[in-house]
Amino acid sequence: MNTIETTDFAELYKNHMVQAERTKKAPEHWDKRAEKMAETCANPNDPYLIKFREMMDFTGAETLLDVGCGPGSISIHVADKFKKVIGIDYSTGMLAVAKRRAEQAGIHHAQFITCAWEESWDDLPRCDIAVASRSTLVMDLKAALIKLNRQAKLRVYTTHTVSPTFVDQRIIRLLGREVPTLPTYIYAVNMLNQMGIHPKVDYIRSRNCQSNFNTLEQFIEGINFSVGPLSEDEISRLTTYYHDSIKNGVSLISPTRDWAMVSWDVVPESELTL
């Protein structure tokens, strides 16, 4: 009989990613989005960043590892709490923006390194706290969680999607598409539990970083990025929807997005069930 105890959530997650037709994007894809993400997702007044910081316990911590750091959204926001900050990302464009932002903020104890989730982290120093903010939608989540637990000395903080889609339901209905769902935070909670880690789960309601569309072209590009190539008919429908929404003062997509903060105290690998 199948029960939650006998379910292999790591394998289920991988199968879900395949069904979602989710593939790893090339670094160049993120290079092109680095400047825009610095504007929309790294504002120090962003409720997401403020809440993330409030949820962290900095007790006894001097060093931070920020995995999938992007433009340094988290690492720069909490840099004042640490003596050494290390951010890693496989996008050199993101790292260039992070370095520039750190310099502009007068942060001289931050280091940004080109490194992917899938690469060896053996050359990275173990840090007191490891974070992975909005960067956990990887192909092998269990391997990622194990690496985070191994690389941190004290605590780990990760955020995952709550909704199974990045696309607003109104857009899905408008296009008449069957948009594949994505794995949510529930997978991470269950994987950690099966490994012998009992995480804490909190929630962050934040401004939707993808809701800033200044032009029709940006709106079409954003939807195309989320659902795949658009037909001429779909572009026509989205164009009408865009102009009607602007005319009536209605938001194009939901202005907020929910994230789940899944955090835990580090457990020695010898005590894990792997």
Side-chain angles (χ1 to χ4, degrees):
M1 182 175 68
N2 290 330
T3 66
I4 195 169
E5 288 83 6
T6 60
T7 301
D8 186 341
F9 285 99
E11 195 62 29
L12 198 63
Y13 173 91
K14 290 179 183 177
N15 292 337
H16 196 153
M17 288 290 278
V18 171
Q19 291 177 32
E21 300 176 354
R22 188 80 178 185
T23 56
K24 182 180 177 182
K25 291 181 169 60
E28 293 76 20
H29 167 86
W30 296 108
D31 293 346
K32 296 175 183 176
R33 299 172 70 89
E35 294 290 351
K36 182 66 175 178
M37 284 190 66
E39 293 176 14
T40 59
C41 299
N43 187 318
N45 296 316
D46 187 330
Y48 173 89
L49 297 181
I50 294 172
K51 193 68 175 177
F52 194 109
R53 179 181 172 118
E54 289 175 352
M55 290 179 172
M56 293 180 69
D57 178 1
F58 300 101
T59 305
E62 297 185 347
T63 53
L64 173 77
L65 175 66
D66 183 2
V67 182
C69 66
S73 303
I74 293 295
S75 44
I76 291 175
H77 191 67
V78 301
D80 61 304
K81 289 289 188 177
F82 298 93
K83 291 183 178 179
K84 177 70 176 179
V85 171
I86 297 174
I88 67 172
D89 204 295
Y90 74 140
S91 164
T92 55
M94 289 288 185
L95 295 175
V97 173
K99 290 176 185 176
R100 186 191 71 220
R101 293 184 64 243
E103 290 171 0
Q104 291 172 341
I107 297 170
H108 306 296
H109 59 292
Q111 180 182 8
F112 297 98
I113 302 170
T114 306
C115 184
W117 277 102
E118 299 81 7
E119 293 178 46
S120 169
W121 292 1
D122 290 347
D123 292 335
L124 296 175
R126 289 186 69 211
C127 294
D128 295 317
I129 292 178
V131 301
S133 169
R134 299 186 287 207
S135 65
T136 56
L137 203 56
V138 294
M139 301 309 294
D140 188 344
L141 181 57
K142 182 177 181 180
L145 297 172
I146 291 171
K147 290 177 84 168
L148 287 169
N149 187 74
R150 181 186 301 148
Q151 208 65 30
K153 298 178 183 178
L154 299 176
R155 292 174 286 279
V156 179
Y157 297 90
T158 66
T159 51
H160 310 253
T161 58
V162 173
S163 171
T165 175
F166 284 121
V167 187
D168 191 292
Q169 290 296 324
R170 290 175 294 170
I171 302 298
I172 294 175
R173 288 194 296 270
L174 177 69
L175 298 178
R177 286 211 185 188
E178 288 289 335
V179 177
T181 64
L182 293 167
T184 69
Y185 73 100
I186 294 296
Y187 280 95
V189 173
N190 283 316
M191 282 185 215
L192 289 166
N193 182 64
Q194 288 186 330
M195 285 190 280
I197 296 174
H198 304 297
K200 180 181 179 183
V201 181
D202 295 288
Y203 298 93
I204 302 174
R205 171 155 289 181
S206 70
R207 182 178 57 82
N208 189 344
C209 290
Q210 294 181 334
S211 64
N212 284 350
F213 297 116
N214 297 320
T215 65
L216 170 63
E217 289 70 25
Q218 287 182 357
F219 176 62
I220 298 295
E221 179 189 353
I223 302 304
N224 186 77
F225 169 76
S226 298
V227 306
L230 295 166
S231 68
E232 289 186 14
D233 178 61
E234 288 174 328
I235 291 175
S236 177
R237 274 183 271 169
L238 287 169
T239 300
T240 301
Y241 172 83
Y242 176 88
H243 290 303
D244 286 347
S245 298
I246 297 298
K247 178 182 177 181
N248 297 318
V250 178
S251 61
L252 292 164
I253 62 175
S254 174
T256 61
R257 172 168 289 159
D258 292 335
W259 296 88
M261 166 78 85
V262 180
S263 61
W264 68 93
D265 293 334
V266 170
V267 175
E269 197 159 331
S270 60
E271 297 178 18
L272 296 181
T273 303
L274 303 176

